[in-house]
Structures are given as structure tokens and as C-alpha cells.
Amino acid sequence: MKQMLTGNTAAAWGARLADVDYIPAFPITPQTEIIETLAQWAAAGEIPARFVTLDSEHSMLTAGGAAAAAGARVFTATSSQGLLYGFELLYTVAGWRVPFVLVNVSRGLASPITLEPDHNDVLAARDSGCLQIHAETCQEVFDSILMAYRIAEDPRVLLPVIVNLDGFSLSFTREPVELPAVAAASIYLGEYAPGHAWIRGERPMAQGVAVLGGAVYSYFRYQMQLAAENALTVHEEAAAAFETMFGRRYGLVDGYRLDDAELVLVMSNSFATKGRAAVDLARSEGVRLGLLRLRLLRPFPREAIRRALAGRRAVAVIDQNLSIGLGGITVGEVAHALYAERDRPPLLSYVGGLGGKEISDQEFRRIVSDLMLAAATGETPPPRLLFTAAEARQMQTLLSIAGKEGAG
Amino acid sequence: MIRVRFHGRGGQGMKTASRIVGTAALLDGFIAQDSPVYGAERRGAPMVASVRIAEAPIFERGVIPAPDLVVVADDTLLDDPAVQPLAGLPPTGGLLMATAHSEEEARRHTGHPGALVARDFLTLALEQVGSAAGVSAALASAACAMLGLSGPAVVAAIGTELEAIGLSPDSIRANLRLAESARAGIQRVELPVRSLAAPRAGSPVVDVAYAPPEVGTPSVTARPNTPLRRTGNWRVFRPVIDPAKCTQCWVCFVRCPEGAIELDAEENPHLDYEVCKGCLICVEECPTGAIAKVREMREWAPSEVTR
Ligand code: SF4
Ligand code: SF4
């Protein structure tokens, strides 16, 4: 039976049905509801996990990594500035090859301060060795957490997995979510029994030791790259088993009305839902538009993306992130996937939805008309920020209220 | 798809009301999505909640720009240009509001030609459950009646959602009785079902140019800087100091989260009603009971309605 759950509560249920042993925690908006929910369950004895609040995200990730190295199944969650505060440990703990799951609830980074979502926080961690699954719906949040444990704990992978959901538009939004029975979830996951990193009092070991010499360093770092590449195969196995048990199938990427699409939008996370509406609107006007949703960001499913986009007449990537001094982040990765294609489409780059900014019908229409022009001429327009005249006017009003000289 | 937008203030229970409607819709076999939006969370601050109800997957997120039904928990919001609760409501849509004014006055004041239910749900809640928080279940129940959701689904949804926020079984029973009387006589409203959102005149994409740092950096140099969001119009109850009972202890002055209490030359506290948001912390904290709470009744002038 389905029930109405927020993305945050769905994430807490993911931890609960994964039967985690240890939850190191630190609050931050918009993630706090996840750890509040888990804290309540732990206090009421409804889950056997040990719930501990730490003094910071840095300590939280240290504790999480150490517990995972001692054989505990670990769940933790953070957001935005919190993820950055624990950043050093993301890299460190990934190098220990310990498979915990970290939920990140996306929130734009300071400054200025905001609470609403974009993906600069989670994408900052893209080189850390943590794998990344980005969810579009509350159901996918729950499902991805179960899948994440299965992928992370596979001996071919053994890397932490970050499951990402958007603040507000998923974290505080309720949608119907189907939760499996406890027994089914535990059959799907099996037991976490690491052979390589099982610290015990009677069996001491040193983790993440110092190495002298680049060759030794290169060897171990490249093992992580190979492990991440293995995760492409392991993801497909985990997705197939998930479908068999629970009836829902997740691909490396997700498509909507792609089969006969000539023009394609590439998006990720919860705003991809708005992209689906834009596709329906364009289709109702006779434009063959489709949507490709990036779901697995690390490892980057280059081949799946190449297959999905090769031969299209034009493709537009909407990055809900901004690498200052570069522009959108994922458009470059998509370009990499397509570069070897002889028949590669013009690739248009947009930055939109920063700090949770709405992407209106009018903005989607602009992208579609740019795509049609690019398809006709083969020429690619320069990258563009999605920002409307009405928003510019509102900005002028706010600037003058703030007492800014020269505004207006 | 049917789109319902709730307007209330932090603490009035409109998030819970929206969740009751969302859960009732799910129980009646629909796909539902509900989501509240607060600014920086503060009691008394205007908030919005959106509920979408559909038979096919919902490809929309965030605040509903063009609702089919608007629910207003607090008629002081009607005249707030920063809130505009009626914005985007078509003449064919429905309007449900809690107000001490009559339905005729509400129609005249809002100018809404379509289905309208305006009742004093706050008084009803105070009478039946002894708390203003009852407005939540009352409005949710009335909204479900206007939407035509089934009685059993509404009862189950109220039970689920009030239990989730920790209400006792007795209190839930009282709220269910309140919900029953709140929906009495309310007819189902025929609302237009639109799968794609109504096309709206949008605003074109424009270039953003480099601005000098005095403008292009996020600093604020003006004070006060809240002309778009006057906290003085948030109040449902107005705190009033009785100088005869005041001992000049300054507890209210220290505790007011808005800095709305100032001391005069004789060190007597005074309230700035432009800023006071009506959180009533001062009423709670005053050790001598010198601050009374008085229900706000604002005059309505038809020209003030913003939509
Ligand atoms: S004066 Fe009293 S009611 Fe008004 S904001 Fe201050 S504490 Fe709240
Ligand atoms: S808390 Fe009460 S007694 Fe103390 S200064 Fe304020 S009004 Fe006067």
C-alpha cells in the first residue's frame, strides 16, 4: 500500500528498511527531518540502530567511515554547507573503501545564503570517490537507498554512495511512496560482511595508511577508479534484482518520450519533473522533444548517454549548478560522452534553477526554439543563464529596497 | 488535475490541512502531491501549501501559480500585497476562507464570482476543540467537501495526519467532530479538470549584465528594509500593554523576537504595531500579566484587495 511521504521521510525509511546498525548525525536544513525521524524511531526502540549526534559533519563522516570499517552498516545524511564542512573526510573515507550511504539534500551554497536547491553542493563531491545517485521522486529516494547499499557493499565496488534529493521540492514534498515489507528488503540486501576492512580488537589493522612514492599512490587511487567503473555493471544487476522483487526498474539514465525524439533536454533531480511537462507541452504543439534524466552521476554512464543522444538533431543540457568561471558542470561531461561520435548533435548549455529558481514554461519554450534553430543551422548558441524579464524587474525592486546605489 | 493552494500563517496548521487533503485524495484512489513553502520559518509568517490531485503522474512541482481552489486560513492575508492569496484563481475556481465577516461581505471584498465558502471557522474551532489550531481540520474538511472527496477518506486522513503531529486520541476525536460540523452543508464544486497547466503569459528570457560591486554583491545598506513584508499585518491577536499592571521588568522588551518593543524615556515598554507580528511571546512571558491579547478585526475596504 502506498502512503504519502516526504522525500526526507522516504530517506529515513530507506535507512530503516536497510536495517542499518549505526547513524552518526548532525542537523542542517533541509535535511534535519531525516535524522529527527530516525532519532525518534531509535529512541522509541522501533529500530535497533545506534543513533549518535556528533559535533560536526567532519566528525560525523569520520565516525561513519570508522564504523563501516568495523563491519557496521552505516547511514548518515547532510546538506549543502554541512557536506562542505565534512569534505576532507569524504575523500579520506572513500579511500578506506568502506560502503556506507550518505544522503545529501541539495541546497544552494553560500554566499548569499539560501535554503532552496541546486546541485553545487553534491557536485562538489563528484571527484571524491563517493558514487552518486540523484533521485527525481520520493519513491526513487527510497528505492535508491536500498539499491545504494547493494551496490556499495558489492566486493567489486566497496565505495560510499551519496543519494541526492532536492531540498524543498523533494525533501518537504509528499508523494505516494510504496514501502516493501521488512523481510523483502532484507532479502534484497543480505548482510554486510566485509572481508577486507573488518577492524576488531583482536585483529588490529591500519586503515588508509601513508604511502611513499607516486607509484604506490597511483595504484591504490586507480583501484578506486576501477571499482567505480565496476559499479556500472553492479548497478544493472542491482536494478534487475530490484525490479524482480519490487517491480520498479531504474536505468543508468532515465528517459521520457525519447524513442522518436529529435530534440532532447538533459536534466537531473526533481526539476526533471518540470522537464517532463515541458516535453508534453512541446509534443502537444507537434515538436518531437524528449527528456534524458541523469540519474547515476558517479560513475558517469558515458556509454549509456552516448547511446541515448547520438543521432539526435540537437540537445540542450540544463545544469542546475554553476562552476564559477566555467558555467554548467554536467554539459562538459555530456560533451565528453558524445565527442567521439561522428554524428554528434549541437549541444546547447543552460544554467537554470539556481537556488531553486523556477524554470517557467516561457524559459522551456526559449530552449525549444533555440534547439530548433540549432537543429536547422547546425550552429550552437553561447551558454545562457535562464533568467526572465520579470525576475530582472523584481531584482531591481529588491536592490533599491536594500539601499543599493545605482540600482533601478 | 485539480490544484489546491492553501494560504495561512506559520502556526495555523495549513501544512497539516494540506496534508489531510493530500492523504484523503490518495485514499480515494488518486495520485497526490502536497508541499508547504515557508520563508525563513517563523510563527506568524505567511506560508503557502500546494496540493495536486490527479489520475495520472504529476509533472509539476512547487507552488501552484494558477489554482482551482484557494483556501485562506486568515483573512488578514487578503490585503497583503506580498501574499496575494487570490492570484491566479480563475473566476470558475473555488474559494474557501475562514473569516468573521459574512459570506456576502467576503464576496464583495474579494470580488470572486465563483464558488465561495466563507465561515467563521476560527470561532467554530475555539468552541469545539478549544484551540485555534482546530482551524486546520475544519478547513481541510470543508475543502475536501468542496472537492468531493469521500467522507470516510477525510475521516481516515484527519486521523492519520493529526496522529502524525502527536495529538492525543481525545483531541483527534474532538477534531473529527469539528470537521463534521465544518463541512455541514458544503456542496461539491464542479472544478475544471486540466491535465496540462493553463498556459500563462510568461516573461521572456533576458541577459544578465555585470553590475558594479556596490550593486552586484549581496549586502544590504538600508534600514528598515521590509516594505514588501510588513510584519505588522501578520497578527491574528494584538498584544496590548496595561501600564497600570506593568512593573517595568523589561522581560517583554528582551524576549520580543522582532524588536517590536521599545522603552521610552521613563523606561516604560511600548509596542510598535507596524512591526509586531503577533507571536504573543510577550503575553506568555510578562510576569505580571500586564499584556492582554485582543483579536484583530481589520476594516475591509474593497479597493485594498490585491490579486
Ligand atoms: S510585541 Fe509581543 S507579540 Fe509582538 S512580536 Fe513582540 S513578542 Fe511577539
Ligand atoms: S513584561 Fe510585563 S511587566 Fe515586564 S515590562 Fe513588559 S509589560 Fe511590563
Side-chain angles (χ1 to χ4, degrees):
Chain A
M1 198 191 79
K2 293 192 175 182
Q3 49 186 300
M4 297 294 285
L5 294 182
T6 60
N8 278 345
T9 324
W13 273 103
R16 177 169 176 157
L17 291 184
D19 193 21
V20 299
D21 302 307
Y22 181 56
I23 305 164
F26 193 84
I28 178 170
T29 299
Q31 168 279 118
T32 305
E33 186 188 12
I34 299 177
I35 62 164
E36 274 176 357
T37 306
L38 290 166
Q40 269 168 12
W41 288 339
E46 289 179 44
I47 55 172
R50 179 140 165 96
F51 179 97
V52 180
T53 44
L54 276 297
D55 59 284
S56 71
E57 290 83 357
H58 195 275
S59 306
M60 178 182 97
L61 290 171
T62 312
R73 183 174 280 163
V74 176
F75 175 87
T76 186
T78 189
S79 171
S80 191
Q81 309 298 125
L83 184 70
L84 295 199
Y85 200 75
F87 211 65
E88 178 191 4
L89 264 295
L90 283 181
Y91 279 70
T92 304
V93 168
W96 297 353
R97 304 289 304 279
V98 285
F100 61 89
V101 172
L102 166 66
V103 164
N104 182 66
V105 183
S106 267
R107 161 181 158 186
L109 294 170
S111 295
I113 297 167
T114 186
L115 299 175
E116 292 181 68
D118 66 38
H119 308 131
N120 266 85
D121 57 357
V122 67
L123 290 177
R126 69 190 184 278
D127 306 333
S128 65
C130 299
L131 308 183
Q132 294 197 8
I133 300 173
H134 291 205
E136 181 186 352
T137 65
C138 297
Q139 181 74 61
E140 192 181 357
V141 170
F142 173 83
D143 293 348
S144 298
I145 290 170
L146 278 200
M147 286 181 62
Y149 278 105
R150 182 147 164 161
I151 297 164
E153 292 172 3
D154 190 290
R156 290 166 288 177
V157 178
L158 291 168
L159 289 168
V161 179
I162 297 174
V163 174
N164 193 68
L165 63 131
D166 281 336
F168 289 78
S169 48
L170 278 196
S171 71
F172 302 148
T173 297
R174 299 198 318 171
E175 296 173 341
V177 175
E178 188 164 318
L179 297 175
V182 177
S186 93
I187 291 168
Y188 178 71
L189 283 187
E191 207 182 324
Y192 170 46
H196 73 293
W198 204 326
I199 298 175
R200 281 275 180 278
E202 70 275 13
R203 210 188 90 181
M205 66 167 80
Q207 265 296 358
V209 296
V211 295
L212 297 178
V216 185
Y217 184 83
S218 302
Y219 175 82
F220 287 124
R221 292 303 284 181
Y222 202 68
Q223 287 299 316
M224 294 171 70
Q225 166 67 15
L226 296 172
E229 283 174 16
N230 287 345
L232 292 170
T233 309
V234 175
H235 177 279
E236 291 304 81
E237 293 169 11
F242 193 91
E243 183 181 25
T244 307
M245 288 196 70
F246 307 116
R248 291 179 295 278
R249 176 73 189 231
Y250 294 94
L252 298 169
V253 292
D254 182 24
Y256 181 63
R257 303 185 81 167
L258 260 188
D259 286 349
D260 64 341
E262 295 177 335
L263 310 175
V264 179
L265 294 174
V266 179
M267 298 179 75
S268 72
N269 290 278
S270 70
F271 275 46
T273 301
K274 298 173 193 271
R276 291 176 198 264
V279 166
D280 284 349
L281 185 63
R283 291 265 175 177
S284 75
E285 292 165 359
V287 178
R288 275 154 67 179
L289 183 68
L291 174 84
L292 178 73
R293 180 173 66 91
L294 303 179
R295 173 182 136 78
L296 196 64
L297 271 284
R298 286 293 181 274
F300 195 69
R302 204 179 291 146
E303 178 56 22
I305 290 168
R306 187 191 64 74
R307 261 186 280 119
L309 297 182
R312 309 293 177 175
R313 295 194 57 210
V315 173
V317 178
I318 305 179
D319 268 297
Q320 201 174 358
N321 61 70
L322 180 61
S323 171
I324 311 285
L326 172 70
I329 293 172
T330 64
V331 66
E333 307 200 342
V334 170
H336 186 193
L338 283 173
Y339 193 76
E341 251 335 272
R342 216 179 288 267
D343 190 17
R344 58 177 189 254
L347 189 62
L348 285 62
S349 171
Y350 298 86
V351 167
L354 292 184
K357 191 190 93 63
E358 171 67 347
I359 304 179
S360 62
D361 289 351
Q362 188 88 357
E363 286 157 279
F364 279 114
R365 277 180 199 282
R366 169 63 189 258
I367 296 171
V368 171
S369 77
D370 288 353
L371 277 169
M372 293 199 288
L373 191 67
T377 62
E379 274 169 39
T380 307
R384 161 170 288 287
L385 174 75
L386 296 177
F387 203 80
T388 67
E391 287 160 348
R393 282 195 298 277
Q394 183 196 16
M395 196 62 228
Q396 288 306 317
T397 307
L398 291 174
L399 284 170
S400 59
I401 289 169
K404 310 286 265 185
E405 294 296 322
Chain B
M1 192 188 311
I2 295 285
R3 299 162 179 86
V4 187
R5 195 174 69 206
F6 289 78
H7 290 272
R9 298 182 180 281
Q12 285 179 336
M14 282 308 99
K15 171 177 152 186
T16 301
S18 70
R19 288 184 163 192
I20 291 169
V21 174
T23 296
L26 180 78
L27 292 173
D28 269 348
F30 295 99
I31 296 176
Q33 179 201 73
D34 56 58
S35 59
V37 176
Y38 304 86
E41 290 95 331
R42 289 196 285 183
R43 276 186 103 73
M47 62 78 68
V48 181
S50 299
V51 184
R52 295 180 170 91
I53 301 169
E55 288 177 330
I58 295 167
F59 293 160
E60 294 177 16
R61 295 197 173 281
V63 176
I64 294 168
D68 305 301
L69 174 64
V70 165
V71 181
V72 182
D74 181 337
D75 61 15
T76 63
L77 293 168
L78 286 173
D79 306 325
D80 188 332
V83 179
Q84 302 193 24
L86 306 185
L89 178 68
T92 50
L95 174 60
L96 166 65
M97 55 194 284
T99 176
H101 296 276
S102 73
E103 210 150 277
E104 292 72 52
E105 282 175 297
R107 189 175 293 284
R108 213 175 317 123
H109 185 60
T110 60
H112 180 64
L116 171 75
V117 175
R119 294 185 184 177
D120 193 356
F121 291 104
L122 177 58
T123 300
L124 193 70
L126 290 169
E127 281 169 9
Q128 296 209 6
V129 301
S131 147
V135 167
S136 180
L139 279 172
S141 172
C144 288
M146 291 177 82
L147 293 167
L149 295 173
S150 75
V154 177
V155 168
I158 290 175
T160 305
E161 297 306 331
L162 296 188
E163 197 189 334
I165 56 171
L167 262 60
S168 69
D170 277 349
S171 169
I172 293 173
R173 271 191 291 277
N175 272 282
L176 284 170
R177 283 192 297 274
L178 166 64
E180 186 63 38
S181 42
R183 67 188 282 153
I186 296 179
Q187 301 296 319
R188 178 190 175 144
V189 178
E190 279 310 320
L191 295 170
V193 178
R194 292 175 278 119
S195 59
L196 281 178
R200 296 184 323 127
S203 174
V205 175
V206 294
D207 291 332
V208 173
Y210 183 77
E214 301 74 35
V215 171
T217 55
S219 58
V220 171
T221 55
R223 76 176 287 279
N225 51 45
T226 53
L228 290 182
R229 199 159 263 216
R230 291 242 180 260
T231 43
N233 68 10
W234 292 8
R235 284 189 307 275
V236 179
F237 291 97
R238 157 188 291 250
V240 179
I241 298 175
D242 178 357
K245 288 195 201 156
C246 173
T247 59
Q248 298 186 330
C249 72
W250 304 350
V251 165
C252 58
F253 166 72
V254 173
R255 292 297 167 92
C256 173
E258 296 296 316
I261 301 178
E262 290 173 357
L263 301 178
D264 64 17
E266 277 80 50
E267 303 187 334
N268 293 307
H270 292 279
L271 282 156
D272 179 348
Y273 289 110
E274 280 281 291
V275 180
C276 165
K277 64 178 181 178
C279 68
L280 305 181
I281 288 173
C282 54
V283 176
E284 287 276 319
E285 294 289 330
C286 173
T288 66
I291 311 181
K293 66 173 200 185
V294 180
R295 175 102 180 254
E296 283 286 0
M297 275 296 286
R298 290 190 175 78
E299 293 303 312
W300 272 355
S303 59
E304 283 174 26
V305 179
T306 40
R307 53 183 305 161

